[in-house]
Amino acid sequence: MAMKTISAHGWMNAGMAIEVECGNHRLIMDQPKSAAGQDLGPTPLEAILAAVAGCFGTIGRFIAHQQKIELRGMRFEIEADYDPAGLLGRNPDVRPGFQELRVRVEIDADLDREGKQALLKQIEKRCPVADNLTHGTRLVSVLI
């Protein structure tokens, strides 16, 4: 299958809010009021957690369809740890990203616990968001 390219276009004006157009949709990310934002949307880090849930659910549907599993639904509890000293530039030895990301998944399907665990492993393996987080992706940023 040929490579596919997706794109997004974003901008920042006054304040901390960032607007991003993704396809036919617009996403606003901001900081809470306690961090000089207006709380107009999730923080970029929270958006990553939402992307993991969205990807797990989407891939879960794909796999269930392919394997003819009746997947009635899924629930996600996602949390991640990071040290703000890294992203605030207070300690150059501290990584600014997540140290660990934990995903708890409830699967509503006619599968026993072993079958649900196997499905979850397949989802994790095929989710491109999880792949980007666990294996890294080359980042190329240029000034225009």
Side-chain angles (χ1 to χ4, degrees), residues 3 5 11 13 31-32 38 49 52 56-57 69 76-77 81 86 103-104 107 118 123 125 144:
M3 293 290 270
T5 300
W11 58 93
N13 293 316
Q31 296 297 313
Q38 296 179 32
L49 302 185
V52 170
F56 268 46
I69 297 169
F76 311 96
E77 295 175 7
D81 306 314
V103 184
R104 292 172 36 103
I107 298 173
I123 291 169
K125 182 177 180 179
I144 55 175

Side-chain angles (χ1 to χ4, degrees), residues 37-85:
Q38 296 179 32
D39 206 19
L40 298 174
T43 68
L45 290 176
E46 291 167 336
I48 291 173
L49 302 185
V52 170
C55 193
F56 268 46
T58 300
I59 298 302
R61 283 277 182 226
F62 289 161
I63 293 170
H65 177 76
Q66 290 168 345
Q67 296 181 4
K68 303 199 180 347
I69 297 169
E70 184 186 347
L71 178 60
R72 290 179 291 275
M74 296 174 74
R75 282 184 5 98
F76 311 96
E77 295 175 7
I78 305 172
E79 58 185 15
D81 306 314
Y82 73 101
D83 184 340

Side-chain angles (χ1 to χ4, degrees), residues 20-35:
V20 181
E21 291 180 351
C22 312
N24 295 324
H25 307 281
R26 185 170 288 189
L27 172 66
I28 297 175
M29 291 174 282
D30 199 0
Q31 296 297 313
K33 291 181 180 179
S34 63

